Amino acid sequence: MSVYNFSAGPGVMPVEVTNQIQRDLPSYKDSGMSVMEISHRSSLYTELELEAEQDLRDLMKISDDYAVLFLQGGGTLQFTSVPLNLATHYHKAVYLNSGYFSKKAIEAANRIDELTVQVIENSDPTSKLPKIDGHIDNVDYVYLTTNNTIEGTAYHQIPKFDQSLVVDMSSNILAEPYNVNDFDLIFAGAQKNIGPAGMTVVIVKRDKLVKQQLLSDVMDYRIEDNKHSAFNTPPVFNTYAAGLTFKWLKKMGGVEAIYQQNLEQADMLYDFIDNSKVFNNDVPAAERSITNAVFKTASSELDQEFINQAAAHGLVNLGGHRLVGGMRASLYNAMPTDGVVKLIDELKQFEVTHGGK
Amino acid sequence: MSVYNFSAGPGVMPVEVTNQIQRDLPSYKDSGMSVMEISHRSSLYTELELEAEQDLRDLMKISDDYAVLFLQGGGTLQFTSVPLNLATHYHKAVYLNSGYFSKKAIEAANRIDELTVQVIENSDPTSKLPKIDGHIDNVDYVYLTTNNTIEGTAYHQIPKFDQSLVVDMSSNILAEPYNVNDFDLIFAGAQKNIGPAGMTVVIVKRDKLVKQQLLSDVMDYRIEDNKHSAFNTPPVFNTYAAGLTFKWLKKMGGVEAIYQQNLEQADMLYDFIDNSKVFNNDVPAAERSITNAVFKTASSELDQEFINQAAAHGLVNLGGHRLVGGMRASLYNAMPTDGVVKLIDELKQFEVTHGGK
């Protein structure tokens, strides 16, 4: 059965990439070894890593002022590594609390003894996203989550600060264009727009990294930068698969081209929802995520009925996060437009049989 | 070209496992999704994880007194996580310094402020491995590395202590039989005998874990145990591939059966080396690793000549670690006996043309 996979992550990957992995599997570059079996000290791996890094630099226009790292431990470990690496001067950071994963980051930062964490909550009833008014003195960085996977919201415009800005871009990296130079650090788990779970991209301005001894060297961006992310054995297969996705995206026309497709898909879906008598989304239009569209019916029973019915028709993983319920359609880069068309057909059909016009 | 891969890790995997991965790749269990694309909250993943865990429990005879965890960050992160989780009572641990990776573990433990680390060095000129004589009071654990990948040594018999024993078993887990009940904690990076790099197995006695708040939840074995290693997004593909290797090993007859094969292979190789006029190994017989055989000629130039010549004949990754030079043949579970036969042929040939009899 062929399905459309709307999972929030691990999620859909480009079929060209999974096909390539399948073809490469017995013998990587005619080495007689699978890519899973090559030594991380071999030139085969070094070339693979450098190529993936360069392709990501090309896609996001990342200058040599920044290190590009491929690390383990997920976004969750970065919640700790980020303050350890960057909060070294004022020992103070400001966090915009925009949802579940921001809260997780705040909780991790709060565990660091010497760090003062200032949290900005949203106070505008017409908005879902906290904002900063003006300048905050003497902080090492301001932290925000560009796209809130669970809440279906996103900062499409990055506020201009003169402070250092750190972003968790896990769920919309490479899906919409951001200017890397606006940030001192970007991190993103691979499992949404990059590749299989188990690798996390960190893009960090090199001159922000100071020499220090952290609790673990694998959390130390300076060390990982010096070792091209191979201070210890890196997740070779995961970086390889990410590299294939970068090449696929370049072939698709890059971030700007995929952004147009993502925007078109999201607009189609939100348009339908806004005109629906059964489904609704309460996020202000300007703050809606284009990678994670959340919506609900009037009851959780009806939500579940829709999720089950859609799954029976090959539209899978449409359930919302357990904390918020409802539905969530994750429209990552690898989602074909046909999947969104089929989803809207399914929604229409459900509406006809459930009291809509 | 078909090759024999003697890499110390990432290293050779069973060809049956890479074939199975290739077959499964487009659609895992007829889901219409690659295993890389399935949600870690789906029953597909939960079943995969539980099955891998149960198969490892069967292979190593691990009782429910122990948690079996599949984590990220490599052995290197465990160097820090182990003392954070276990050195909670006396805040003291004893480390047997048996080589490169023991030193790394000691260095990581020394960074933990409240921890006193006592290091035991080897003082016996007839041995390569430090030992403990008698009992040491008031320590949270004694730490050793069962197999020293770089030095080619191993503790085949585990000394009986009445203290808690922690072992880094990265390079000989599942390759020779150990009694799990002798240990309070075992950890092992996957990339030698388990599967692709990017996943680390931790086996830990549950009653040794106390409730506490660690710097990062991903380092907290209690939390990971409660969440079946999916506190945050786990490395799904890596755990899946490890699970296939566990099934392969069960089919091969389990640890005892593969141990006989490993022993036979290692004996063949060491026998040749011991009778060689060109190659030599200076590890006492009882302390020789069966997974990593190290040997040298009289000069590093000759070593390099052999390494290059062997590689040209499809026997690849025979170079020793940069710190010790010489050669290293890693004979992990997936190395076919034919590979060792071919290696010995190559050594013989080299001996004939380089001054041997």
Side-chain angles (χ1 to χ4, degrees), chain A residues 212-262:
Chain A
Q212 57 176 338
Q213 190 173 66
L214 298 183
L215 185 63
S216 170
D217 287 338
V218 299
M219 301 170 93
D220 189 326
Y221 299 141
R222 249 182 79 261
I223 289 177
E224 293 287 6
D225 186 25
N226 288 337
K227 298 283 186 183
H228 277 287
S229 309
F231 170 73
N232 66 333
T233 313
V236 175
F237 175 85
N238 310 62
T239 299
Y240 149 79
L244 293 184
T245 311
F246 299 152
K247 290 220 182 293
W248 169 82
L249 187 51
K250 283 176 104 171
K251 216 174 127 194
M252 292 289 285
V255 177
E256 194 55 58
I258 207 82
Y259 172 58
Q260 292 308 322
Q261 180 183 300
N262 292 341

Side-chain angles (χ1 to χ4, degrees), chain A residues 1-4 311 314 316, chain B residues 20 23-35 37-38 44 240:
Chain A
M1 180 172 81
S2 175
V3 302
Y4 290 106
V316 303
Chain B
Q20 178 76 42
R23 276 196 303 274
D24 285 355
L25 211 73
S27 179
Y28 179 68
K29 296 204 170 176
D30 291 322
S31 66
M33 296 174 279
S34 157
V35 71
E37 299 169 295
I38 63 171
L44 278 172
Y240 148 79

Side-chain angles (χ1 to χ4, degrees), chain A residues 233-345:
Chain A
T233 313
V236 175
F237 175 85
N238 310 62
T239 299
Y240 149 79
L244 293 184
T245 311
F246 299 152
K247 290 220 182 293
W248 169 82
L249 187 51
K250 283 176 104 171
K251 216 174 127 194
M252 292 289 285
V255 177
E256 194 55 58
I258 207 82
Y259 172 58
Q260 292 308 322
Q261 180 183 300
N262 292 341
L263 213 50
E264 196 187 317
Q265 292 180 1
D267 282 349
M268 276 168 54
L269 182 56
Y270 286 124
D271 270 359
F272 172 82
I273 292 167
D274 286 341
N275 289 299
S276 168
K277 292 197 159 63
V278 171
F279 300 100
N280 75 85
N281 164 297
D282 67 351
V283 178
E287 296 178 353
R288 282 173 172 170
S289 167
I290 62 166
T291 45
N292 309 90
V294 297
F295 50 98
K296 285 186 176 186
T297 68
S299 80
S300 58
E301 291 74 23
L302 212 54
D303 291 344
Q304 198 53 54
E305 191 184 330
F306 174 75
I307 292 162
N308 295 344
Q309 181 178 306
H313 297 150
L315 305 167
V316 303
N317 294 321
L318 278 164
H321 190 274
R322 64 193 145 74
L323 290 179
V324 296
M327 277 73 71
R328 171 172 54 181
S330 294
L331 310 177
Y332 296 132
N333 288 350
M335 174 57 66
T337 299
D338 192 48
V340 186
V341 170
K342 290 272 195 325
L343 170 60
I344 293 171
D345 285 348

Side-chain angles (χ1 to χ4, degrees), chain B residues 8 20 51 57 81 86 96 116 125 134 136 157-158 171 179 185 188 229 259 325 353:
Chain B
Q20 178 76 42
E51 214 169 303
R57 286 183 184 276
S81 300
L86 294 190
L96 275 64
T116 303
I136 300 174
Q157 306 299 328
I158 295 300
S171 46
N179 182 352
L185 190 144
S229 309
Y259 172 59
T353 53

Side-chain angles (χ1 to χ4, degrees), chain B residues 128-160:
Chain B
K128 298 271 186 187
L129 296 172
K131 282 165 204 79
I132 291 186
D133 248 348
H135 179 82
I136 300 174
D137 274 328
N138 302 338
V139 297
D140 286 305
Y141 61 85
V142 174
Y143 178 105
L144 65 81
T145 310
T146 53
N147 186 89
N148 300 285
T149 328
I150 291 173
E151 296 79 7
T153 59
Y155 291 94
H156 299 295
Q157 306 299 328
I158 295 300
K160 288 279 175 201

Side-chain angles (χ1 to χ4, degrees), chain A residues 9-157:
Chain A
V12 60
M13 286 171 56
V15 67
E16 293 87 342
V17 170
T18 55
N19 286 345
Q20 178 76 43
I21 294 172
Q22 193 184 26
R23 276 196 304 273
D24 285 355
L25 210 74
S27 179
Y28 179 67
K29 294 202 170 177
D30 290 323
S31 65
M33 297 173 279
S34 157
V35 70
M36 301 178 289
E37 299 169 294
I38 63 171
S39 165
H40 62 299
R41 305 291 176 212
S42 67
S43 59
L44 278 172
Y45 174 71
T46 311
E47 283 161 23
L48 172 167
E49 195 277 338
L50 289 176
E51 214 169 303
E53 187 187 318
Q54 188 56 52
D55 285 334
L56 184 58
R57 286 184 184 276
D58 294 347
L59 283 166
M60 294 183 72
K61 302 185 183 68
I62 306 169
S63 79
D64 279 344
D65 293 346
Y66 291 81
V68 172
L69 309 175
F70 302 131
L71 305 178
Q72 290 188 65
T76 306
L77 190 59
Q78 298 315 316
F79 294 158
T80 302
S81 299
V82 162
L84 289 180
N85 279 274
L86 295 189
T88 56
H89 187 73
Y90 298 109
H91 303 284
K92 187 175 172 190
V94 174
Y95 280 69
L96 275 65
N97 180 9
S98 58
Y100 181 79
F101 286 107
S102 299
K103 279 193 192 72
K104 290 269 192 189
I106 292 162
E107 199 202 311
N110 270 323
R111 289 196 200 169
I112 298 173
D113 281 341
E114 56 273 32
L115 182 65
T116 303
V117 179
Q118 180 183 343
V119 179
I120 311 276
E121 305 283 353
N122 177 42
S123 56
D124 174 357
T126 69
S127 166
K128 298 272 184 184
L129 296 172
K131 282 165 203 78
I132 291 186
D133 246 349
H135 179 81
I136 300 175
D137 275 328
N138 302 338
V139 297
D140 286 304
Y141 60 86
V142 174
Y143 178 106
L144 64 82
T145 310
T146 53
N147 186 89
N148 300 284
T149 327
I150 291 173
E151 295 79 7
T153 59
Y155 289 93
H156 300 294
Q157 306 298 328

